[in-house]
Amino acid sequence: MKVYFDARQLGHAPQVYFRRGAAMPHQEQPQRAEILRDMLLSEGFEISAPGDHGVGPIKAVHNPGYVDFLPDAYDRFVESAGAEALAIPTMHPGVRRGKEPRDIHGQLGWWMTDTSTLLTPGSWDAAYWSAQSAVAAAEAVLSGERAAYALCRPPGHHAMRDCSNGFCFFNNACIAAHHMTSKYRKVALIDVDVHTGNGSLDILYERGDIFFCSLHPDPATYPTFFLGHADETGEGAGAGTKLNLLLEQGASQDDVLATLDKGIAAARAFGAEALVVSLGFDMAADDPLAAVAVYPDGFATMARKLADMGLPTVLVQEGGYLGPSLADNGRAFLTTFRKAIQ
């Protein structure tokens, strides 16, 4: 199974963010990718750097204005506010009526939703090459590989069409899924990160060619809030092609796996010809952002269930933070998936 990762993805290095009004150490650290990379190498996976497919695949799912805003946004912020300030939005448009301002502080609020996705000197390169890793994995599958894994960092499934959100700049899974539609009429995107794939839901809501299913606790009471309710099933051409499967906070491994079975059955009923998986190891019981209790053997079972769908598959890394079992969970899922498709 081919693996794609670029060292420039380590350049985004946020130090703090605000949660419940308090500043705290940022959870989305470069070490996450280093731990998974080193595990992959120890298990004999060959890691390739992605080629550069440009901004075209990114702009295919994101507002081009948002994409064009990011490359020099940090430098412009520092020029205005100084290097000691946090490059986060402090004013927002509310409902998205109005026009994009020219001032950098207003632009941060226009294109960015929260304090968790702050800009640092290496953010643009990291987000750009994370997206390129997803495109490279999709290209590999389009070229005949049974499956490929993109070690995407920063993650992507919270990024909406025209704004960052929840540690995410570009929605790597949606970029991969859209890329797959160049060959496959129907693509399924199944999100097994513990948080709702709210950005993916936003991007895909009116698309009928990409089925989307997310497993997550009720967004009425659990981040990222707002999107991911059971009655949000798509609109227009996408009506009936979106499925939010809600988990109880503290759900057991058996509960999670039984819920995944429902998502897989729905993807099959949709007639999916290819699969993209938003792969989050923050389903782990000991993850710093834990809300359910999945263990390494559960991730292995999850991998077998998804591999048994028998579809060309792109695996896209999402969450999974610096808990004790991160490497073990990654090893359990990825080695099991590799064995299952051989």
Side-chain angles (χ1 to χ4, degrees):
M1 183 168 67
K2 290 186 177 296
V3 176
Y4 293 94
F5 174 75
D6 190 288
R8 283 168 284 193
Q9 293 171 229
L10 302 174
H12 173 61
Q15 297 302 306
V16 297
Y17 75 120
F18 295 91
R19 189 168 66 184
R20 298 180 179 178
M24 59 186 59
H26 205 288
Q27 300 285 346
E28 207 289 283
Q29 290 299 309
Q31 188 182 357
R32 299 176 53 240
E34 293 173 329
I35 288 171
L36 292 173
R37 177 201 62 196
D38 293 348
M39 177 278 296
L40 289 163
L41 292 172
S42 73
E43 293 294 334
F45 288 89
E46 181 179 345
I47 302 177
S48 300
D52 189 349
H53 293 86
V55 296
I58 303 173
K59 289 184 175 181
V61 302
H62 285 289
N63 184 321
Y66 168 59
V67 179
D68 291 340
F69 153 76
L70 284 170
D72 65 349
Y74 178 77
D75 290 340
R76 292 174 55 218
F77 177 84
V78 170
E79 182 179 356
S80 173
E84 300 305 313
L86 290 177
I88 57 174
T90 54
M91 53 198 74
H92 299 273
V95 294
R96 294 187 66 82
R97 297 187 181 94
K99 297 179 181 179
E100 178 193 1
R102 291 191 297 272
D103 179 84
I104 181 60
H105 302 279
Q107 286 181 323
L108 288 174
W110 185 259
W111 295 119
M112 305 173 72
T113 62
D114 60 23
T115 67
S116 76
T117 323
L118 67 163
L119 296 170
T120 74
S123 296
W124 164 253
D125 279 345
Y128 180 83
W129 287 104
S130 186
Q132 297 304 322
S133 290
V135 175
E139 280 286 313
V141 174
L142 288 170
S143 299
E145 293 290 331
R146 169 66 171 79
Y149 169 57
L151 177 48
C152 290
R153 190 270 158 185
H157 71 146
H158 299 312
M160 301 184 188
R161 181 178 181 272
D162 57 4
C163 53
S164 66
N165 179 251
F167 305 167
C168 303
F169 293 98
F170 294 141
N171 196 307
N172 306 305
C174 283
I175 291 167
H178 174 79
H179 211 65
M180 297 286 280
T181 62
S182 65
K183 179 177 180 180
Y184 300 104
R185 293 181 307 108
K186 291 187 174 183
V187 175
L189 171 51
I190 297 180
D191 189 319
V192 295
D193 185 282
V194 76
H195 301 93
T196 178
N198 58 318
S200 302
L201 193 64
D202 173 68
I203 291 168
L204 302 174
Y205 206 64
E206 297 182 8
R207 289 190 63 159
D209 57 341
I210 302 177
F211 169 83
F212 175 68
C213 172
S214 178
L215 285 60
H216 53 266
D218 189 342
T221 58
Y222 187 74
T224 57
F225 305 119
F226 312 125
L227 288 175
H229 298 275
D231 62 353
E232 295 165 355
T233 59
E235 291 180 353
T241 67
K242 309 299 174 276
L243 179 63
N244 294 295
L245 297 173
L246 303 190
L247 300 165
E248 295 291 334
Q249 291 192 46
S252 70
Q253 179 166 289
D254 288 344
D255 292 336
V256 172
L257 294 172
T259 303
L260 176 60
D261 286 339
K262 297 177 182 178
I264 289 172
R268 285 177 168 146
F270 171 74
E273 301 169 357
L275 175 66
V276 176
V277 178
S278 274
L279 179 58
F281 298 130
D282 49 4
M283 283 272 193
D286 62 1
D287 189 90
L289 300 180
V292 300
V294 178
Y295 299 90
D297 66 306
F299 285 107
T301 301
M302 191 180 294
R304 282 190 291 270
K305 289 176 180 290
L306 291 165
D308 285 349
M309 293 179 71
L311 299 176
T313 301
V314 178
L315 305 171
V316 176
Q317 189 61 49
E318 301 288 0
Y321 300 96
L322 296 177
S325 69
L326 176 58
D328 293 335
N329 297 327
R331 179 180 297 106
F333 186 100
L334 293 164
T335 60
T336 300
F337 196 95
R338 177 177 61 179
K339 183 177 180 180
I341 64 173
Q342 289 175 344

